[in-house]
Amino acid sequence: MKGAPILVVFFLMFLVASLLIPSPVFPGNFLSTLIGNMTGEHQKFVSAVFNGIFYGAILWLVFIAVSRKFEKEEK
């Protein structure tokens, strides 16, 4: 998979940032609320995982699009 290290780095970066930020971050807080009955600490961790997946995937897709553009310009 092209850019897998980029995906992992951004996932971990947003996971850690979501855990360290004291206020809820969208969409993780929304999705973890939809899941239902969880304790506060579990909800915070699930929210951070959702944020890592969401924002990591968005930035990975941007990386893929930009790298394809540069590859086309080189040809």
Side-chain angles (χ1 to χ4, degrees):
M1 181 164 88
K2 184 177 182 178
I6 299 294
L7 178 62
V8 170
V9 167
F10 281 122
F11 168 76
L12 291 174
M13 188 172 70
F14 281 101
L15 176 86
V16 170
S18 294
L19 288 172
L20 294 176
I21 295 173
S23 62
V25 179
F26 181 80
N29 65 334
F30 178 73
L31 295 173
S32 64
T33 303
L34 286 178
I35 289 176
N37 193 10
M38 285 187 271
T39 63
E41 195 61 36
H42 286 105
Q43 186 171 8
K44 185 176 181 180
F45 183 72
V46 169
S47 174
V49 170
F50 280 136
N51 285 334
I53 292 169
F54 182 76
Y55 292 113
I58 288 174
L59 290 171
W60 175 70
L61 290 172
V62 168
F63 168 77
I64 295 296
V66 169
S67 66
R68 284 185 182 167
K69 183 179 178 182
F70 284 132
E71 286 176 0
K72 285 183 182 180
E73 287 179 1
E74 288 179 2
K75 291 180 181 181

